[in-house]
Amino acid sequence: MTSIIATNDDGVDAPGLQALAEAMRALGDVRVCAPAVNQSASGHKITLFQDIAYTRRTVGAGIPALAVGGSPADCIALSLLGLVDASPDIVVAGINRGENMGQDLTYSGTVTAALEAAIHGLPAVAFSLARADANCLDDYAVAAQIAVPIVRMVMDKGLPPFTILNVNVPPVKRLADLRGIRLTRQGLRIYRDCLVEVAPSVVRVEGEPPTANTDELGTDVWAVHRDFISVTPVHLDMTAHQFMANLAAWDLRLPSC
């Protein structure tokens, strides 16, 4: 039987994780390894040379789970190093509360958990729901339904090395409200953060939710804005290949002795 690890960055008690883990039971044996507390926007953080506490528990209808005092990427690294009993065949991350599109991917613990799996040679899919107020299990029902055929296809077809799928689901209430699936590239998000001083020598980053150019055809933000599911292949090679020729023209040299 296929062994599936489910994780997220909203924390082990998040309803999106429960919805995803329970949906994955249709595809194999599911185990959860997720942060003990919310680790949203933790990025690809790995904890080295420090103690990491964990507790054993269950999620949903008796799904074995580990609540880890670390980041989402820690959860996957620890799972693959032997903390989880069964050696996993695939990793699923999510369902994230809120979309992960454009530059969000560099911040998202959900996406980087999937990337950590790719580093270790496992296929992985990250799922996000474009709804920041999704706080109960029913809110994630449509996204969980969508996750099953996508993960099944990945299990059947596989993914290239160091590649994951990043899936964003529009905030629709019924499956029938979705217009379809679009293969997309990353769009551009515009962040509106501001610095707030809350006390002497204490500050906080706040601001309005990010905006985006929703008219750029073929991007993740374009698709989700129009009630399409966005599926973006993401690769760990971050080299700006199109800039290499221009960079070569700089004629970089060592300084003279």
Side-chain angles (χ1 to χ4, degrees), residues 26-75:
L27 301 177
D29 181 47
V30 182
R31 285 170 169 75
V32 168
C33 187
V37 297
N38 192 309
Q39 292 280 331
S40 293
S42 59
H44 206 148
K45 174 187 175 183
I46 289 289
T47 304
L48 299 176
F49 310 114
Q50 299 177 50
D51 296 343
I52 305 173
Y54 69 93
T55 58
R56 296 190 183 275
R57 47 174 298 179
T58 59
V59 165
I63 298 173
L66 294 172
V68 176
S71 70
D74 285 333
C75 293

Side-chain angles (χ1 to χ4, degrees), residues 13-25:
D13 292 314
L17 176 61
Q18 180 182 337
L20 181 61
E22 291 185 344
M24 290 299 103
R25 281 184 149 177

Side-chain angles (χ1 to χ4, degrees), residues 51-182:
D51 296 343
I52 305 173
Y54 69 93
T55 58
R56 296 190 183 275
R57 47 174 298 179
T58 59
V59 165
I63 298 173
L66 294 172
V68 176
S71 70
D74 285 333
C75 293
I76 298 307
L78 294 174
S79 296
L80 301 181
L81 289 171
L83 193 62
V84 172
D85 297 337
S87 178
D89 300 301
I90 190 169
V91 168
V92 293
I95 300 166
N96 192 71
R97 182 187 291 113
E99 66 272 22
N100 278 308
M101 303 185 293
Q103 307 97 297
D104 296 343
L105 274 63
T106 63
Y107 297 113
S108 169
T110 295
V111 173
T112 53
L115 290 172
E116 181 67 19
I119 288 173
H120 290 268
L122 286 182
V125 188
F127 293 95
S128 301
L129 174 63
R131 183 177 168 187
D133 65 345
N135 293 317
C136 69
L137 200 59
D138 288 346
D139 293 336
Y140 294 90
V142 171
Q145 286 180 270
I146 294 301
V148 173
I150 291 176
V151 174
R152 180 183 287 119
M153 188 66 71
V154 170
M155 290 166 55
D156 181 47
K157 301 291 187 181
L159 290 173
F162 304 113
T163 303
I164 69 165
L165 295 184
N166 182 45
V167 180
N168 282 277
V169 181
V172 300
K173 294 185 177 180
R174 302 178 306 155
L175 196 63
D177 294 331
L178 289 167
R179 297 179 62 190
I181 296 176
R182 290 291 182 269

